[in-house]
Amino acid sequence: MKQIGIIRCEKNETRCPLTSCLKALDQGREGFQDGDGHELVGVFTCRCPGDGVADMARILKSKGAEQIHFCTCMFAHKDKDGWVEGDGLCPDAARLAGGAARAAGIPCVLGTAHLPKGYRPDIFT
């Protein structure tokens, strides 16, 4: 079973309890379709401008995380037809995920639930 950490954005923490992200993780769908079972080891909330994300990634790794997922809302937005890549809550999501991957030495993935149509999760190593 793959041990997973999740990093979310502060701009959504009071509007979203991660219900769909946690269901996707539990059911192995959307951003968690890599074929392995998954177990959550922890969740952090990134605060602008993201200075603490490298430390968060290292802490998640120390708690057993083998991979970290950044929530879809960080890099995509919802419109009338569903989720669309771009204009997410964090203009620096890819940079933060790349930095977190380098700092912790584990893969970081952009995507949890609500993946935009045709989107394949970006994986930073």
Side-chain angles (χ1 to χ4, degrees):
M1 209 171 249
K2 188 179 286 184
Q3 305 295 298
I4 301 292
I6 292 178
I7 296 179
R8 65 180 306 163
C9 179
E10 71 174 327
K11 295 174 187 171
N12 211 21
E13 76 177 329
T14 61
R15 295 182 303 188
C16 177
L18 296 175
T19 304
S20 294
C21 293
L22 297 175
K23 282 183 182 177
L25 177 115
D26 184 56
Q27 297 169 2
R29 57 183 178 76
E30 302 267 355
F32 305 100
Q33 290 186 41
D34 59 9
D36 298 332
H38 300 90
E39 182 174 72
L40 184 66
V41 299
V43 176
F44 271 119
T45 299
C46 183
R47 307 229 174 265
C48 294
D51 294 339
V53 82
D55 287 335
M56 292 175 196
R58 285 190 286 267
I59 291 167
L60 287 167
K61 181 179 180 180
S62 78
K63 301 296 181 185
E66 300 168 278
Q67 187 168 297
I68 297 169
H69 285 251
F70 285 72
C71 291
T72 303
C73 63
M74 292 179 76
F75 67 90
H77 71 280
K78 186 176 183 180
D79 71 8
K80 62 181 176 56
D81 296 320
W83 285 81
V84 179
E85 195 171 354
D87 294 327
L89 298 172
C90 179
D92 295 320
R95 180 184 62 79
L96 294 175
R102 286 187 300 280
I106 59 175
C108 289
V109 180
L110 285 182
T112 50
H114 311 298
L115 297 183
K117 186 174 183 167
Y119 176 77
R120 291 191 183 266
D122 288 331
I123 301 172
F124 298 83
T125 56

